[in-house]
Amino acid sequence: TRIEGGKNGKASVKYLPPISGEYTINVSFGKDIPGTPFIVNAVPREAEDTITEVVQLEAEGVKLGNAFTYMVDTSGSEDKQSLSGRIVGPYKKINFIPKELLSDTVTLDGLPRLLVGKRAIEPTVTEKDKIYTVQFTPTEIGVYLLYIFLNDHLAPQMPHEIYVCDPTKVKISGCGLKETEGNSYPVNDPLQWEADCIHAGPGKLKAYCAGPQNCSKHFEVTPLPNEDCYTISYIPDIPGSYQVLFAYNGYDLSDKPKLMIGDSSKAEVQISDTKVCLVGEEVSFCVDLSAAGAGKLQANIEGPVEVPINFAKNKNGTCNFSFVPTEP
């Protein structure tokens, strides 16, 4: 990687991928900055129908096992503030939390009396120059409530909701994810996936794609009757290579289908006017696929007997076919 600039508070990070493939880019400034790591899909230069794009994900909530940090700045106060914190949870969903726990009148002494089947956890609190850092590392998925008390009084904007999810528990099935089905599909045909988020905790499911320039980026995410299950629909409108990315609460998932979208109507067969050939002599013709996009190329010959057909792809998007008839 190469870092340029930085004099005006801005810097450019550059990287030249040596081969095609998927790269994870991580940028840190003392620690990881928001929005990283992110995924870049680099494609061969000759693949003119596809462009390299950056999908920048913004994490929402907390990933299970990661630390949650909340900072309270009391430096504007002349008097030293006494700060204490409490964490309550987890709850499966926000609407499962008793209303009295969401009140801004909760007191430090009264909080234990409001808890039913839960206990209050004390987060780690550190202080420097009247700036307090509150940290908590969740061990279970769900919704937590953070209470910050200043001089035993509930601080403004409290309680704060913390959403903890486990993106690794999201299960995706559908187009391009089964090796036996391949990954080639016709242009303008709907593609569909199903997502099971039942064991992933609270979160939002989103889908993104990188593909040919000006291709549609619109995905439909529809809830299913089963709670926390969804269908994801997408219609590729331009032939070419596509990379689909799924994210849960801003965290990318391991299922990343690569799709080849073709338009057979734009393939042009280039063949001579002579329709008669001799047994034992090679017959050849060319097919121009340059405007047809990406896809799985197949060819077969119907005739008196089965004969093999050979084909070779050219860099200019055409393909040469040849076969030798063995019987009239």
Side-chain angles (χ1 to χ4, degrees):
T1 56
R2 189 170 74 252
I3 300 176
E4 298 177 353
K7 294 181 180 180
N8 60 350
K10 298 182 180 180
S12 297
V13 181
K14 297 183 178 182
Y15 176 68
L16 179 64
I19 60 174
S20 60
E22 186 177 281
Y23 293 80
T24 300
I25 309 297
N26 188 68
V27 183
S28 61
F29 186 72
K31 60 180 182 179
D32 292 348
I33 66 173
T36 65
F38 56 86
I39 304 297
V40 170
N41 184 35
V43 299
R45 184 177 295 274
E46 59 267 20
E48 295 180 355
D49 61 336
T50 306
I51 59 174
T52 302
E53 295 187 45
V54 174
V55 176
Q56 184 169 341
L57 302 178
E58 294 185 4
E60 301 175 11
V62 182
K63 185 178 180 180
L64 184 66
N66 288 359
F68 166 80
T69 301
Y70 194 94
M71 302 188 74
V72 180
D73 187 351
T74 65
S75 59
S77 174
E78 294 182 0
D79 300 324
K80 184 174 178 62
Q81 300 285 325
S82 171
L83 184 145
S84 58
R86 296 293 186 272
I87 302 283
V88 176
Y91 294 89
K92 185 177 180 181
K93 292 184 180 295
I94 187 66
N95 55 356
F96 286 17
I97 300 176
K99 291 183 179 179
E100 53 268 25
L101 285 176
L102 297 170
S103 171
D104 58 3
T105 61
V106 174
T107 63
L108 180 60
D109 293 335
L111 179 60
R113 294 191 293 270
L114 299 176
L115 302 180
V116 178
K118 301 289 181 182
R119 64 183 182 89
I121 305 168
E122 291 192 32
T124 302
V125 178
T126 57
E127 182 267 336
K128 184 179 180 181
D129 299 329
K130 294 186 178 182
I131 298 176
Y132 292 84
T133 301
V134 181
Q135 280 198 327
F136 162 67
T137 302
T139 57
E140 296 180 59
I141 60 174
V143 184
Y144 295 78
L145 294 178
L146 167 66
Y147 297 85
I148 298 293
F149 297 95
L150 293 172
N151 297 333
D152 295 338
H153 295 286
L154 193 63
Q157 301 179 352
M158 291 290 139
H160 177 76
E161 298 160 11
I162 307 171
Y163 294 85
V164 180
C165 69
D166 185 356
T168 65
K169 296 300 171 82
V170 177
K171 298 178 181 178
I172 305 283
S173 60
C175 297
L177 293 175
K178 290 185 178 180
E179 294 183 3
T180 55
E181 295 181 356
N183 64 345
S184 297
Y185 302 91
V187 70
N188 292 322
D189 272 19
L191 305 179
Q192 194 169 85
W193 298 267
E194 288 194 1
D196 180 348
C197 308
I198 293 175
H199 302 292
K204 296 179 181 178
L205 180 71
K206 293 184 179 181
Y208 309 84
C209 76
Q213 192 168 12
N214 299 323
C215 70
S216 169
K217 302 292 195 304
H218 178 68
F219 285 80
E220 289 281 353
V221 179
T222 307
L224 290 173
N226 293 339
E227 190 176 22
D228 297 325
C229 291
Y230 307 86
T231 59
I232 307 159
S233 302
Y234 176 66
I235 300 178
D237 57 345
I238 298 177
S241 301
Y242 288 73
Q243 172 73 71
V244 177
L245 173 67
F246 302 108
Y248 194 67
N249 257 14
Y251 298 98
D252 66 300
L253 307 181
S254 58
D255 293 314
K256 301 180 179 70
K258 295 180 179 179
L259 309 174
M260 311 295 282
I261 306 300
D263 186 352
S264 59
S265 67
K266 294 185 178 180
E268 183 180 352
V269 179
Q270 300 171 347
I271 191 169
S272 64
D273 293 335
T274 303
K275 302 295 176 66
V276 178
C277 56
L278 299 176
V279 171
E281 289 190 4
E282 182 180 82
V283 179
S284 62
F285 59 93
C286 180
V287 178
D288 186 352
L289 303 170
S290 58
K296 184 179 180 181
L297 188 62
Q298 294 178 303
N300 66 287
I301 295 178
E302 295 182 2
V305 294
E306 184 177 345
V307 295
I309 183 169
N310 303 310
F311 62 88
K313 292 183 177 180
N314 304 314
K315 290 185 177 181
N316 63 356
T318 62
C319 187
N320 295 325
F321 290 83
S322 64
F323 70 96
V324 177
T326 58
E327 291 189 20

